[in-house]
Amino acid sequence: MGAQVGVLLPFSRKDEYESDHYGLWWAAMAGYNPQEAIPLWERMEKAGGGQKPPEFLSTHPSEGNRIEQLKKFMPEALKYYKPVGK
């Protein structure tokens, strides 16, 4: 149990942040506005109603932490954003 919580789950959350980072790039390169990722996760946070286990027991980061990371990744993603048809 200790290895699960102390070793495996933090790596899984790190993988989720990495997926968010690359996802912003790919969305931006495909012509989707990467800034829309933040309102999406805000809606997910609101929809959850606080009914989630603590982050340290989860394979996924909390929505709040995920939003903060997306904000950090955003300037880089916006470099790739070229709206379709413009």
Side-chain angles (χ1 to χ4, degrees):
M1 180 70 172
Q4 178 77 14
V5 172
V7 177
L8 299 177
L9 293 180
F11 280 117
S12 182
R13 288 189 297 273
K14 180 180 167 283
D15 293 340
E16 288 291 320
Y17 287 132
E18 185 176 26
S19 295
D20 290 345
H21 194 182
Y22 287 118
L24 283 179
W25 288 357
W26 293 329
M29 286 187 256
Y32 294 98
N33 185 348
Q35 295 176 68
E36 292 300 320
I38 293 171
L40 167 81
W41 284 106
E42 289 170 343
R43 288 190 303 273
M44 294 287 284
E45 185 173 40
K46 188 175 181 180
Q51 301 297 316
K52 297 188 181 203
E55 185 176 290
F56 75 91
L57 293 175
S58 178
T59 58
H60 291 73
S62 70
E63 287 86 356
N65 286 338
R66 196 168 219 154
I67 290 166
E68 290 307 309
Q69 285 298 313
L70 288 169
K71 288 177 181 177
K72 290 177 186 175
F73 299 148
M74 195 60 63
E76 183 180 17
L78 287 171
K79 291 177 187 176
Y80 298 107
Y81 179 47
K82 303 287 186 272
V84 175
K86 293 187 179 184

